[in-house]
Amino acid sequence: MEYSGLKEIRNGLVILEKVDAVYDEIVMIKIEGEPPRTGRVIQIDGDTAVVLVFEGTRGLSREDIKTRFTGRLMTMNLSEEILGRVFDGLGRPRDGLGEVYAREKRQINGQPINPAKRIYPRNYIHTGISAIDGLTTLIRGQKLPIFSADGLPHDELAAQIAANAGVTDTDNFAVVFAAMGAQYDTAEFFRKTFIESGSFQHTVMFLNLANDPPIERVATPRFALTAAEYLAYDLGYHVLVILTDMTSYAEALREISSARGEIPGRKGYPGYMYSDLASIYERAGIRKDTGGSVTQIPILTMPGEDITHPIPDLTGYITEGQIVLDRGLNHKGIYPPINVLPSLSRLMKDGIGEGFTAKEHPTLAAKLFAAYAGVSDVRSLASVIGEEDLTPDDKNLLAFGKKFEEGFIHQETFENRTLTQTLDIAQQLLIK
């Protein structure tokens, strides 16, 4: 059905009266002399529909507009040809190579995995980063976020993980990378990094840039995860999904909620943000009837470096641990500046050790954690009484902390350490 005119235009939303619409239905908005815009029905009240316009409402007029309700949900064209391609935030080709030949079209909201058909996540994904592989091991089928802040090198870390990542028992590995609200130079940095590392041919990129409509960001992670699920559950790939920056996604969600006139929750974010984030994060996993897996690394910048802010707080409830970047380590020139004490991988105990990584891995990891926790206590004491008044054991702990940060955590940008190298460094530190 096609309708003329609108009742109201409001901050990325248009409201139509006397229409026959279905929730989540895709809407095409036609403007004289302009390309059509895409919308999605996000609220229905009788014969009144509220439509979210992904390209924004700038330039729209209430009279000179025609709206067509398509009767279908938002879908994505899928085939193995998506590997090595770059798309925009709405799944449209951004690399000038034309449309993807579609073996299948799939709606972007995904299908819930039957809990009875889930396999418990085990067996690790190699990242080449000692602080992750050794102490906060990334497990296949896991969702493990990175908590960062403005000015910290989370972009470099994300690119390094994507370039280095792999599994040891198969070549069927792919990376799906989604950027939300990224600067153009940041998006180019990721694209060039993937090409130079040789990983681009098994990577799918979705780029929502800073000058793209913010409303588009609510769809970007769903397109990325639809591609990941197809590669994993239909083609048998082990897929690592990197989503950056989830803070930009949450702010777009808040903008939509405000435009709808909803009662705000904590710090103005909608009260349903927990369930909305869960609808993204819970799409990670392994199914019994397939040979693949979907693993997620969401990256978010904590507003004001506050780990209790609603975005990291709710993310921490849903996901299985976190990797925390530290400004103090960054000031010392440590890269990647991962603070291992507040970082953890809740599935690490079941995905490391004999049969998965190495027999000695759990013991070495536990000893490193214990020793570095003691370093933190001694540093606090030294700040009060001075280093010269510390006991010899305390001075040894301080020396260990320096060697641990400079020799284990720190590594060169894009250095890809094997797990054997990581465990050898850990062994040497503990002997000394």
Side-chain angles (χ1 to χ4, degrees):
M1 294 290 293
E2 190 167 276
Y3 301 86
S4 296
L6 301 171
K7 177 188 177 186
E8 187 178 344
I9 300 172
R10 186 199 306 160
N11 295 336
L13 305 179
V14 296
I15 301 172
L16 297 92
E17 283 186 315
K18 299 178 181 179
V19 297
D20 182 15
V22 177
Y23 181 76
D24 244 6
E25 183 177 359
I26 294 304
V27 179
M28 302 306 296
I29 299 169
K30 301 177 182 178
I31 311 119
E32 186 80 28
E34 290 187 26
R37 304 186 192 186
T38 305
R40 179 169 64 93
V41 177
I42 61 171
Q43 185 176 326
I44 296 176
D45 184 7
D47 62 357
T48 300
V50 179
V51 178
L52 172 68
V53 184
F54 290 110
E55 291 88 352
T57 54
R58 179 175 293 182
L60 293 187
S61 166
R62 288 176 55 193
E63 289 80 24
D64 302 328
I65 191 171
K66 290 186 177 180
T67 307
R68 181 168 64 87
F69 289 80
T70 64
R72 59 180 176 82
L73 304 180
M74 183 164 275
T75 59
M76 181 180 179
N77 293 342
L78 294 168
S79 75
E80 201 164 7
E81 290 180 11
I82 62 176
L83 290 170
R85 296 295 304 271
V86 181
F87 302 91
D88 69 6
L90 293 178
R92 299 170 298 203
R94 198 171 198 139
D95 50 13
L97 298 178
E99 293 291 334
V100 170
Y101 171 74
R103 291 188 177 277
E104 183 176 345
K105 287 191 175 184
R106 191 168 293 177
Q107 64 102 357
I108 66 168
N109 290 326
Q111 295 294 326
I113 302 176
N114 185 337
K117 290 189 176 182
R118 280 186 179 268
I119 296 176
Y120 191 84
R122 288 187 171 89
N123 213 338
Y124 86 119
I125 290 178
H126 171 80
T127 68
I129 298 168
S130 292
I132 298 177
D133 291 346
L135 299 178
T136 51
T137 310
L138 179 63
I139 309 300
R140 295 183 209 175
Q142 182 181 17
K143 39 199 181 289
L144 185 65
I146 295 176
F147 291 176
S148 184
D150 289 332
L152 294 181
H154 47 270
D155 288 336
E156 291 84 350
L157 181 58
Q160 182 171 352
I161 291 172
N164 292 349
V167 293
T168 57
D169 54 355
T170 179
D171 292 330
N172 272 9
F173 183 80
V175 174
V176 174
F177 178 87
M180 291 156 278
Q183 298 289 336
Y184 177 79
D185 56 348
T186 302
E188 269 300 289
F189 162 75
F190 282 115
R191 190 183 68 84
K192 288 181 179 178
T193 297
F194 297 151
I195 291 173
E196 291 169 1
S197 67
S199 61
F200 187 73
Q201 292 308 310
H202 65 256
T203 300
V204 189
M205 297 185 71
F206 293 84
L207 300 178
N208 167 265
L209 303 182
N211 60 345
D212 290 333
I215 304 301
E216 184 180 293
R217 290 166 202 163
V218 299
T220 303
R222 291 178 169 83
F223 274 100
L225 286 163
T226 301
E229 288 168 346
Y230 175 76
L231 291 171
Y233 304 140
D234 290 70
L235 302 182
Y237 281 85
H238 293 287
V239 185
L240 176 62
V241 182
I242 299 176
L243 306 172
T244 182
D245 178 340
M246 291 304 294
T247 299
S248 294
Y249 171 86
E251 287 172 351
L253 202 65
R254 179 169 61 178
E255 184 176 327
I256 295 168
S257 175
S258 176
R260 291 171 67 176
E262 295 172 337
I263 297 173
R266 292 166 57 193
K267 295 188 181 293
Y269 292 94
Y272 54 79
M273 190 166 74
Y274 177 89
S275 57
D276 190 277
L277 289 174
S279 72
I280 294 174
Y281 297 148
E282 293 295 350
R283 290 173 73 171
I286 311 172
R287 292 194 337 206
K288 287 181 180 179
D289 54 348
T290 68
S293 63
V294 176
T295 307
Q296 284 189 37
I297 298 184
I299 299 173
L300 58 91
T301 50
M302 298 179 289
E305 300 189 40
D306 180 11
I307 202 168
T308 66
H309 186 277
I311 303 171
D313 187 36
L314 295 178
T315 295
Y317 276 114
I318 302 165
T319 54
E320 293 131 2
Q322 68 276 331
I323 297 168
V324 181
L325 302 191
D326 182 81
R327 195 171 297 279
L329 288 174
N330 191 54
H331 286 328
K332 291 180 182 179
I334 304 297
Y335 174 86
I338 296 174
N339 187 346
V340 301
L341 294 181
S343 301
L344 78 154
S345 169
R346 294 191 185 101
L347 300 180
M348 179 179 170
K349 62 184 177 61
D350 296 312
I352 66 171
E354 196 167 8
F356 296 109
T357 54
K359 183 178 180 180
E360 67 275 15
H361 187 176
T363 303
L364 288 175
K367 287 181 178 178
L368 284 178
F369 269 121
Y372 194 58
V375 171
S376 180
D377 293 337
V378 172
R379 283 176 175 169
S380 298
L381 179 61
S383 67
V384 177
I385 67 173
E387 287 188 27
E388 62 278 2
D389 292 327
L390 294 175
T391 66
D393 286 345
D394 287 344
K395 290 179 180 179
N396 286 338
L397 268 179
L398 281 183
F400 167 82
K402 189 170 187 293
K403 291 176 182 176
F404 176 75
E405 290 171 353
E406 295 177 354
F408 186 86
I409 297 177
H410 177 72
Q411 55 191 90
E412 296 303 317
T413 308
F414 295 106
E415 178 185 354
N416 186 359
R417 289 181 186 167
T418 66
L419 184 63
T420 300
Q421 289 174 320
T422 291
L423 298 181
D424 285 346
I425 294 170
Q427 187 73 58
Q428 293 300 316
L429 284 171
L430 292 169
I431 290 172
K432 294 176 182 178

